[in-house]
Amino acid sequence: MGSSVTTVLITVTGQDKPGVTSVLLAALSRHDVSLLDVEQVVIRGRLTLGVLVSCPNDPEALQDELEEAMNTVGVEVDVSIGADPIGRAGLSTHAVVVLGSPVTARAFSEISRNLAKQGTNIDSIRGIADYPVTGLELLVTTVDTGADADARLRTGLAEVAVRENVDVAVERAGLARRNKRLIVFDVDSTLIQGEVIEMLAARAGVEDEVRAVTEAAMRGEIDFGESLHQRVATLAGLDASVIDEVGESIQLTPGARTTIRTLRRLGFHCGVVSGGFRQVIDGLAHELELDFVEANTLEIIDGKLTGRVVGEVIDRKAKAVALRKFAAQVGVPMEQTVAVGDGANDIDMLNAAGLGVAFNAKPALREVADAALSHPFLDAVLFILGVTRHEVEAADAFDGLVRRVPLGPAV
């Protein structure tokens, strides 16, 4: 009769140093074990290494040898014989990203408590960002498999997020999360700081009047098309040269360049869909090397703004249509698209996307978004997509190295 196989969990802790892993694995190899799972974390020089194995021989003898071996490298080892392999061997159902400045122990405790209350187990935790916000990614498994499981998990965590002043995003885990291939941004108060229509209105001396209409439209109190016509009418007679002046004065949202640059390196198609104006946005789109631009067009006659727009108005419905059009052009399924915006005018676009992100958004948009960001850094979108700060910096460093390497002689 063959000997029975025992599952053993080995946990090693201590000061990180060369040789710890090799000493551990050498000891394991002498007992003919099979590796089931391995995870290692180093925080400020402190090592935690977990190894789950199946042992066909005497687990007590394995425990004795491991304690002896790890003592030679000055680390502690804990051996749990008969550990349950179920859980870590399975796939997590969701990824939960927590962003804050800072993420307090109390906030994280409340998130953990809420997950437990919903019957959701935390499988792993890793840090994904330390700048410009702290980011933590939790891979979790929920027992709730109902049709509204995602919404219930998201709603429960959203309540904690508001109370504890952190951002929490929930997505289905797995390949689909890192399989996004197209992203579109709203422009005003998302990709750039401020509203272009208000910048133009300031040149016409009607900024306060226009701002009031803009804010009402973003809250969803006024139909966007109607509000657009009202605001553009106040610009009648303005010299067209102000368009270039406003274009030159635009300030990108912090992290916008990093976000676009990184996404392009990852193979994303990047574009903008704006209720603003094509004449102002085109220069920005060229500078950022965007693939798509959809926006309104100001009518100009004899070098003056007429107070009207020409062509189809890019309103709430048209934004969703533009996203679908872009996706069809590059052959990307809608579930692999991402949309980022801040106002009620973006609701349909975010609903149509595989992942809708509300960025410093009005309540009407936050309520329907898959994720909501309240910190003024656009690169937080990367963290929601599972891209870490380390990966961003590594890509920047590699790109800089490539640019500095001189080309060889032509052949």
Side-chain angles (χ1 to χ4, degrees):
M1 180 181 293
S3 59
S4 61
V5 175
T6 306
T7 303
V8 180
L9 175 63
I10 303 112
T11 306
V12 176
T13 58
Q15 193 68 26
D16 189 30
K17 65 186 71 173
V20 173
T21 304
S22 62
V23 169
L24 174 64
L25 293 178
L28 291 174
S29 66
R30 290 190 285 274
H31 288 260
D32 196 28
V33 304
S34 298
L35 295 179
L36 300 176
D37 199 2
V38 180
E39 187 164 348
Q40 176 174 310
V41 177
V42 179
I43 301 177
R44 296 192 179 277
R46 187 76 181 175
L47 167 73
T48 300
L49 170 62
V51 183
L52 186 68
V53 303
S54 61
C55 179
N57 303 312
D58 180 8
E60 299 288 350
L62 173 62
Q63 179 174 3
D64 292 341
E65 181 164 347
L66 286 175
E67 290 174 351
E68 226 177 276
M70 301 321 293
N71 187 52
T72 66
V73 286
V75 295
E76 298 178 3
V77 62
D78 177 75
V79 179
S80 177
I81 298 172
D84 186 357
I86 297 174
R88 288 297 300 136
L91 295 176
S92 301
T93 60
H94 294 80
V96 177
V97 175
V98 182
L99 303 173
S101 185
V103 176
T104 65
R106 169 176 164 168
F108 198 78
S109 172
E110 289 298 311
I111 289 168
S112 303
R113 184 177 292 112
N114 186 273
L115 288 170
K117 183 179 178 181
Q118 297 192 59
T120 300
N121 184 67
I122 300 175
D123 301 325
S124 67
I125 304 171
R126 67 166 180 159
I128 56 173
D130 58 3
Y131 172 83
V133 295
T134 298
L136 299 172
E137 179 188 78
L138 290 68
L139 293 181
V140 305
T141 301
T142 178
V143 296
D144 187 351
T145 58
D148 298 324
D150 293 12
R152 283 192 289 271
L153 182 59
R154 188 175 291 117
T155 299
L157 291 174
E159 294 171 358
V160 177
V162 171
R163 190 167 64 245
E164 299 299 332
N165 195 32
V166 293
D167 293 332
V168 179
V170 178
E171 271 198 275
R172 279 278 170 179
L175 291 177
R177 182 173 177 234
R178 292 295 293 265
N179 204 27
K180 304 292 191 300
R181 286 295 173 262
L182 182 149
I183 187 166
V184 295
F185 297 89
D186 174 46
V187 176
D188 293 351
S189 299
T190 301
L191 191 65
I192 69 170
Q193 300 179 57
E195 302 281 328
V196 167
I197 184 67
E198 293 176 12
M199 300 176 197
L200 292 169
R203 268 70 173 181
V206 291
E207 185 178 8
D208 290 343
E209 176 185 341
V210 166
R211 181 181 292 117
V213 178
T214 298
E215 291 177 352
M218 291 300 98
R219 291 191 299 267
E221 298 170 1
I222 305 175
D223 173 74
F224 180 82
E226 177 188 345
S227 75
L228 179 69
H229 291 304
Q230 285 183 24
R231 291 175 290 170
V232 172
T234 67
L235 306 179
L238 201 60
D239 196 289
S241 63
V242 301
I243 293 176
D244 292 334
E245 294 175 12
V246 168
E248 292 172 0
S249 69
I250 284 176
Q251 293 187 346
L252 289 168
T253 298
R257 290 186 191 278
T258 298
T259 303
I260 298 294
R261 181 177 66 245
T262 302
L263 290 172
R264 287 182 61 80
R265 287 172 178 161
L266 292 173
F268 272 71
H269 301 280
C270 303
V272 291
V273 182
S274 174
F277 309 109
R278 186 80 188 231
Q279 292 100 322
V280 179
I281 294 170
D282 275 347
L284 180 65
H286 178 74
E287 178 186 347
L288 295 176
E289 301 181 34
L290 299 179
D291 302 301
F292 312 104
V293 179
E294 192 74 79
N296 294 299
T297 303
L298 291 166
E299 184 180 61
I300 300 173
I301 298 178
D302 297 330
K304 302 287 185 181
L305 275 65
T306 66
R308 296 186 294 271
V309 294
V310 294
E312 179 188 5
V313 171
I314 305 303
D315 57 9
R316 172 173 163 173
K317 181 179 179 181
K319 283 192 167 189
V321 171
L323 171 60
R324 292 190 177 94
K325 180 179 71 174
F326 294 162
Q329 285 177 6
V330 295
V332 173
M334 287 301 294
E335 58 268 23
Q336 293 180 10
T337 66
V338 183
V340 185
D342 76 302
N345 194 37
D346 300 309
I347 288 176
D348 289 5
M349 182 172 73
L350 265 66
N351 277 334
L355 175 67
V357 180
F359 181 75
N360 290 312
K362 308 300 184 294
L365 186 63
R366 293 178 67 94
E367 290 173 3
V368 303
D370 298 309
L373 298 172
S374 59
H375 295 87
F377 309 106
L378 199 60
D379 38 352
V381 171
L382 297 173
F383 309 143
I384 289 178
L385 294 173
V387 181
T388 69
R389 172 55 63 183
H390 174 74
E391 289 171 325
V392 173
E393 293 174 349
D396 284 341
F398 177 78
D399 186 61
L401 178 63
V402 170
R403 290 174 185 273
R404 288 194 299 272
V405 173
L407 296 176
V411 294

